[in-house]
Amino acid sequence: MSGGAAPAQVRRPISEEVVEPDVPWIVIVWNDPINLMSYVTFVFQKLFGYSHEKATKLMLDVHQKGRAIVSSGSRERAELDVFRLHEHGLWATMEHEA
């Protein structure tokens, strides 16, 4: 016995969303009045594997310029880096690379 309605035709929605090319994300560490310069240098070395010289240069950028870009890549990578920096008490944000 076949008493059901005819199957409905399903159409795929047409998306008007513009897909941007995969623009890299950057992670920025901002200056704060709390963390010691030696600690910030240590965190950059620990989290990113930077040499002492590179970590020191980035720390000095944070201290003198108010911010430094410490990493770049996919959105997921940037989110992870920001999370890890927050876990270490640093003020970090992420944004699209200009």
Side-chain angles (χ1 to χ4, degrees):
M1 214 157 100
S2 150
Q9 193 173 21
V10 177
R11 293 186 180 198
R12 290 183 162 229
I14 298 171
S15 174
E16 294 180 16
E17 181 179 333
V18 177
V19 178
E20 293 183 26
D22 193 18
V23 178
W25 288 80
I26 56 173
V27 175
I28 302 166
V29 172
W30 300 88
N31 195 21
D32 67 62
I34 300 165
N35 292 296
L36 296 174
M37 291 187 284
S38 58
Y39 176 71
V40 174
T41 302
F42 165 76
V43 171
F44 292 166
Q45 288 181 276
K46 177 183 174 188
L47 295 185
F48 303 108
Y50 293 150
S51 67
H52 186 266
E53 292 74 26
K54 180 167 183 170
T56 300
K57 181 192 176 310
L58 290 170
M59 174 278 298
L60 287 173
D61 283 349
V62 171
H63 181 68
Q64 295 168 350
K65 299 175 185 175
R67 61 177 251 166
I69 297 170
V70 297
S71 71
S72 67
S74 69
R75 180 183 181 130
E76 292 78 18
R77 180 66 205 194
E79 287 173 347
L80 178 61
D81 288 346
V82 168
F83 175 77
R84 293 168 66 211
L85 288 160
H86 287 173
E87 282 188 319
H88 285 80
L90 300 185
W91 178 22
T93 60
M94 59 185 267
E95 62 186 52
H96 274 292
E97 190 169 36

